[in-house]
Amino acid sequence: MRPQSIAMAMHSFLLKEAPAGMVSLPPEEARHALTVLRIRVGERVRLSDGQGGQWLAQVTYAGEGQVSCQLLDDLAACESPARITLYQGLPKADKLELIAQKAAELGVWRLCPVAMQRSVARWQPKEIERKTERLRRISQEALKQCGRSMALCIEPLMSWKQALEDMEARQLVLMPWEEAKDGRMLALHRAQPDARDIGILIGPEGGISQEEARQASAAGALPITLGPRILRCETATIVSCAMVQQLWGDMS
C-alpha cells in the first residue's frame, strides 16, 4: 500500500542508490542527521535515491557517526507530468543559486545555465565543474525539503550554440521576453495542451538581445509576455516555471 501523503515535517535524506531492507545513510547525511537534526531511534524518515524512488523508513540506530533505517513502505512520487528544461541565461552567482533552489522546488527537470550576450557573470573553464557541483548540492537540499523523488539535473554551462541545439529537441519552448507584445502562455496552452517536454528560455540580468531572440525563434522558441512590468531574471524564472506547472503540470 502506498501512502497518499506524508507530513512535510518528516526529515528527508538522499541515498546514493536504491535501498533494500536495512539501509545506512551516506556519511554526510548521517552527520547532518546526528549533529543538526538530532535524529533519534524510532523516528520515521523519508528516503530518496534522487532517481524517482522514495521510501518511508524508521530509524533503528543513531550514533557514532552512523544512522541505520528499516524500510517500511514505498512512497508515491510527486514528479510533474511536465518535463521542464530551464535554459537560464547566466546571472550573478547568488541569483543562479536561488534559481537552482526554486527550480528544484517547482519540479523542473533540467537546469541549463547558458552563456548569453548580456550575461554579467563569466565562468572560467576551471570554475565550471566546481560551480556546477555547488548548484547540484543546493538543488539536492531543496529536493529533500520539498519531497521530490527525482533530482534536478544541473547541466554544465552551455554556450549559446549548444543551448539552441538543445532547444530544437524540445516539444515546446517558451521565451518570456520584455519586447514580446502578443504571445500569452494561456493561449499557447490552448493550442498545445498535450505538450510535455517543455523548454523555458530566460535571459540574464540584461535580458535577451534582439539577435538571440531571432536565433531562438528560428530554433522554435515562442516569444511570450509575462505582462506589462519588467521582471528581474530570477523573478521571471520563478513565475514562468510556476505558470507552466499550473497549465501543463500538476499545480492546478
Side-chain angles (χ1 to χ4, degrees), residues 16-193:
K16 301 292 186 183
E17 58 187 15
M22 294 290 295
V23 60
S24 295
L25 298 187
E28 63 275 16
E29 292 287 81
R31 186 163 50 250
H32 181 71
L34 292 167
T35 61
V36 178
L37 303 177
R38 306 291 183 184
I39 202 126
R40 296 288 183 266
V41 170
E43 285 189 49
R44 292 193 170 193
V45 297
R46 179 174 52 226
L47 305 178
S48 173
D49 63 359
Q51 301 299 315
Q54 194 162 223
W55 301 269
L56 177 67
Q58 188 168 35
V59 177
T60 57
Y61 178 80
E64 300 179 355
Q66 295 185 342
V67 176
S68 299
C69 303
Q70 173 68 50
L71 296 187
L72 300 178
D73 208 341
D74 292 348
L75 292 173
C78 61
E79 294 303 313
S80 172
R83 292 170 67 86
I84 301 172
T85 296
L86 174 60
Y87 301 97
Q88 178 64 59
L90 191 64
K92 295 178 181 177
D94 56 339
K95 293 182 179 181
L96 188 56
E97 290 175 4
L98 173 67
I99 287 167
Q101 180 189 68
K102 300 311 174 188
E105 292 178 25
L106 287 165
V108 171
W109 175 46
R110 296 169 68 218
L111 170 59
C112 304
V114 182
M116 297 179 68
Q117 286 183 17
R118 296 175 179 173
S119 291
V120 176
R122 291 286 187 270
W123 287 8
Q124 299 302 317
K126 63 182 180 181
E127 299 178 311
I128 293 176
E129 184 176 353
R130 173 178 57 83
K131 292 189 174 185
T132 302
E133 184 56 36
R134 175 166 174 77
L135 293 175
R136 287 179 180 144
R137 289 198 302 271
I138 290 170
S139 68
Q140 286 172 355
E141 288 303 313
L143 174 147
K144 293 189 291 183
Q145 178 273 325
C146 69
R148 285 186 68 178
S149 58
M150 185 69 71
L152 171 65
C153 176
I154 308 282
E155 301 286 3
L157 180 67
M158 287 184 176
S159 68
W160 177 240
K161 180 182 178 183
Q162 289 172 323
L164 290 174
E165 292 172 352
D166 201 273
M167 281 184 240
E168 290 178 348
R170 307 279 72 78
Q171 184 179 3
L172 173 66
V173 180
L174 309 175
M175 181 173 62
W177 188 35
E178 62 270 20
E179 296 190 41
K181 304 301 180 185
D182 302 320
R184 296 281 179 171
M185 201 178 292
L186 183 58
L188 290 178
H189 177 259
R190 289 172 180 153
Q192 300 190 53

